[in-house]
Amino acid sequence: MTEPTTPTPQPATADAQVHVFSPNAGLVDGVPVTAPPYGDIQEVILSILQQRAQQLGAPTPATITDNRYGGAIRLLIHPDGSTEQLT
């Protein structure tokens, strides 16, 4: 008789690399993304990262560099769309 095995934990994913250049243009892992007219690039990027978290079934970490403000932040985006700041 064999012993039951425990599920193998999913490997940690590397941070998504996000660069925001303007209110309507940015990159997610090197792929260009744009916001629709009168749209907001932040909403587009968070939507993409939420979809990634839903596909993985786990929160997705991201490092977001925003050239508009000259800063960077690390976020954890959950499948439900909520976010939390990482240190």
Side-chain angles (χ1 to χ4, degrees), residues 69-87:
Y69 307 110
I73 187 170
R74 284 190 72 224
L75 293 178
L76 189 63
I77 299 85
H78 295 273
D80 67 1
S82 62
T83 61
E84 60 184 279
Q85 185 173 351
L86 298 173
T87 55

Side-chain angles (χ1 to χ4, degrees), residues 36-85:
Y38 307 106
D40 184 2
I41 193 66
Q42 288 176 215
E43 291 177 20
V44 172
I45 288 170
L46 288 176
S47 176
I48 290 168
L49 296 173
Q50 179 186 2
Q51 289 174 12
R52 183 178 292 182
Q54 289 171 343
Q55 290 170 350
L56 292 172
T60 298
T63 299
I64 301 170
T65 303
D66 195 328
N67 292 350
R68 300 173 298 173
Y69 307 110
I73 187 170
R74 284 190 72 224
L75 293 178
L76 189 63
I77 299 85
H78 295 273
D80 67 1
S82 62
T83 61
E84 60 184 279
Q85 185 173 351

Side-chain angles (χ1 to χ4, degrees), residues 1-5:
M1 185 165 147
T2 59
E3 293 184 27
T5 59

